[in-house]
Amino acid sequence: MNIETNFESSTFNHNEGRNIIHVVQHLAPGGLESLALDFLAFSDPRDNVAIISLEGEKESAIANWPKLETVRSQILFMEKKPGIQLTLFKDLAQVFSKLKADVVHTHHIGPLLYAGAAARLSNVPHRIHTEHDAWHLNNRKRRWLQSLALSFAKPTLVADANGVHETLKNHFRYSNTITIKNGIDCDKFSPASKALARQLLKLPLDKKVVGCAGRLETVKGHDVAIEAMTLLSDNVHLAIAGSGSQFDQLNALVKEHKLENRVTFLGHVDSMPKFYQSLDVFCMPSRCEGFPLSTLEAQSCDIVTVATDVGASSETLCPLTSLLVDSENYVDLAAAIAKQVDNDTLDSPRRFVLQNNDVRGMVRAYRELTMGEVA
C-alpha cells in the first residue's frame, strides 16, 4: 500500500513525545468517531496523534463530514472492502512500522482484530483497546473472536463504563482491564443565552422546549418521544436534531397525532452547543446505547435531562438533577419530561460533568497508560 498517497506522514515529526495512532472502523458522524477526533484536539502537544479508519476513502469522508477537513493531515483510510481482508494485517503493520508508532489504540472489535494483531506483529510497544459498549458480546462468535484477538494482541483493555467493565470481567479472564470513562469538551458545551439559541434555530420563545439529538434511526427511540408528546401539555414543544432513514416514518407519526405545530425536525445541526442551550429539558429516548455523549453534552450546558435506562446511560447522569426511565415506555417518559419541565432545582448538572467527564481528564488518563513499562 502506498502510504504517501493517503497520509501526510510528515505529521509525525518524531519529537520528544509519543507517536499515537487511533484505529476506528469508519470515520462518519457519530459519538465514537467524535471522541476519536477529541483525542486529536486534546492530546499532549508533545505527542504526534493520528486516526486510521479501516473503511472508507478520505475525500468522500471529508465531503460527508466537513469537520474532517481541519484534520486532513492526521487521518488515513485503509479503504477496506466488505468481508475478511487478510492483506490488511500486512498493510497496517507496514503503516505502524513506517510511522514508528509508540501506541496503537483500537476502538471496537474490527480494529482490535486487524490493528491489534498488526501492532503486535510490528512490535508496537504500547497497545490499548477500548470497549465502548458490551451488547455485541451477547453473540458467542463475537465473544470468541474478541477473546482470540485479546490473547494475541495483548492490549491494555479499557472499559468506558463500570457496566462494560463488569461484562468484560464476566466474559473474559483478562487481568489487564481498567475503566476510563469517556469525556466531552466542557468549554465547548457550556451555558449561554437560551433566547438567542432559540432565535438562531427558529424555535418558539414562549414554549417549554424538550430536545432529542441523534440519528433518525429506530434504535434512537424518537418515535417514543413523539408518542410521549401526546400526553404532555400544549405548552411543551419537541425539537429533534439529526437526520437519518426514519425521517419519513417519524414525520408521518407526527402528522398522525396532529403534532405538526409542536414538533420541529431540525435536521443536521452544525452547532450542537446552541441546540442544547435552546432547551429546557434534554431527552434521550434510546432503545440501545453504549456510553452516550449527548447526555453529558446537554448537562454540561446546564440542561436537566431525562434518559432511558439502556447501556451505561445511568453512569452519565447527574444524580441530583436527572431522571431515568425504562425504554419503550412513552407513558413514563412523558411523566418524567413533565416533571423536568417544572424542575426549579438550584443544583447544577454541569458541575457533575465537570467533576467526572471532562475530555481533558480522559485524554490525560489514557496518556498515563503509555508512560509505564512497555507492553
Side-chain angles (χ1 to χ4, degrees):
M1 179 178 182
N2 184 357
I3 298 171
E4 296 296 337
T5 63
N6 291 281
F7 185 72
E8 296 176 25
S9 56
S10 60
T11 298
F12 276 40
N13 54 32
H14 311 301
N15 58 20
E16 71 273 19
R18 302 294 182 94
N19 293 334
I20 301 172
I21 302 175
H22 292 268
V23 186
V24 298
Q25 191 70 25
H26 51 72
L27 267 179
L32 185 158
E33 293 74 22
S34 295
L35 192 68
L37 295 184
D38 281 342
F39 277 107
L40 299 187
F42 297 98
S43 62
D44 190 295
R46 294 169 294 181
D47 294 335
N48 305 303
V49 187
I51 299 173
I52 290 178
S53 174
L54 297 186
E55 299 176 359
E57 182 271 330
K58 179 180 283 191
E59 297 306 324
S60 59
I62 292 174
N64 183 54
W65 197 9
K67 184 177 182 178
L68 296 178
E69 182 63 48
T70 61
V71 294
R72 169 185 287 273
S73 66
Q74 293 173 271
I75 55 178
L76 165 66
F77 291 80
M78 304 303 292
E79 301 182 15
K80 179 186 178 299
K81 306 303 183 208
I84 297 172
Q85 188 172 321
L86 296 179
T87 57
L88 189 55
F89 293 101
K90 179 181 177 182
D91 291 339
L92 285 165
Q94 288 178 343
V95 172
F96 298 154
S97 295
K98 176 157 187 170
L99 297 178
K100 297 182 172 60
D102 297 298
V103 182
V104 167
H105 185 165
T106 57
H107 302 265
H108 274 325
I109 181 65
L112 173 62
L113 287 168
Y114 286 101
R120 188 172 183 203
L121 289 171
S122 54
N123 297 313
V124 175
H126 294 278
R127 301 175 296 278
I128 301 170
H129 175 68
T130 296
E131 200 62 47
H132 294 275
D133 57 52
W135 60 267
H136 66 284
L137 296 176
N138 293 326
N139 181 289
R140 181 178 296 181
K141 180 180 179 181
R142 284 176 175 259
R143 287 200 305 273
W144 176 79
L145 285 172
Q146 180 137 337
S147 179
L148 187 67
L150 289 172
S151 64
F152 184 80
K154 297 186 183 305
T156 297
L157 180 59
V158 179
D160 72 353
N162 295 331
V164 173
H165 192 149
E166 285 300 309
T167 300
L168 293 173
K169 188 171 68 173
N170 291 336
H171 285 310
F172 306 115
R173 294 181 178 179
Y174 196 82
S175 59
N176 190 14
T177 305
I178 64 170
T179 299
I180 299 177
K181 293 189 178 183
N182 293 340
I184 55 121
D185 183 0
C186 293
D187 289 347
K188 175 182 177 183
F189 294 97
S190 60
S193 170
K194 182 181 298 184
L196 177 59
R198 289 191 185 181
Q199 288 173 355
L200 291 172
L201 295 171
K202 297 181 172 55
L203 293 173
L205 298 174
D206 59 344
K207 304 290 184 182
K208 295 290 187 178
V209 178
V210 177
C212 300
R215 295 172 289 111
L216 302 187
E217 304 298 340
T218 303
V219 69
K220 293 299 184 180
H222 293 103
D223 57 310
V224 184
I226 292 170
E227 295 284 358
M229 284 293 292
T230 65
L231 302 179
L232 291 166
S233 162
D234 289 346
N235 191 45
V236 177
H237 191 92
L238 177 64
I240 300 175
S243 58
S245 66
Q246 294 297 301
F247 171 75
D248 289 341
Q249 291 90 329
L250 293 171
N251 195 38
L253 185 61
V254 168
K255 292 180 178 178
E256 177 185 337
H257 291 303
K258 298 180 172 55
L259 293 170
E260 293 94 329
N261 294 326
R262 296 181 56 207
V263 177
T264 298
F265 290 98
L266 294 170
H268 174 75
V269 175
D270 289 326
S271 176
M272 286 305 294
K274 289 299 179 191
F275 172 73
Y276 296 121
Q277 291 157 7
S278 74
L279 306 178
D280 293 290
V281 178
F282 178 68
C283 172
M284 190 193 76
S286 298
R287 293 180 165 92
C288 181
E289 286 286 342
F291 187 94
L293 298 181
S294 61
T295 46
L296 295 176
E297 292 168 351
Q299 291 173 107
S300 188
C301 293
D302 239 4
I303 305 302
V304 296
T305 295
V306 175
T308 47
D309 190 7
V310 294
S313 62
S314 62
E315 296 182 41
T316 71
L317 297 180
C318 170
L320 300 176
T321 63
S322 63
L323 292 175
L324 197 65
V325 300
D326 291 336
S327 64
E328 303 281 1
N329 191 328
Y330 75 92
V331 176
D332 284 356
L333 184 64
I337 291 172
K339 185 174 181 179
Q340 291 291 62
V341 161
D342 294 328
N343 190 329
D344 58 358
T345 180
L346 297 178
D347 292 309
S348 168
R350 175 172 171 81
R351 188 179 303 119
F352 168 83
V353 182
L354 285 169
Q355 291 173 350
N356 297 282
N357 298 101
D358 188 273
V359 68
R360 294 156 188 83
M362 179 199 74
V363 172
R364 188 164 55 249
Y366 274 107
R367 190 175 197 274
E368 289 173 358
L369 292 182
T370 71
M371 303 306 291
E373 296 181 1
V374 171

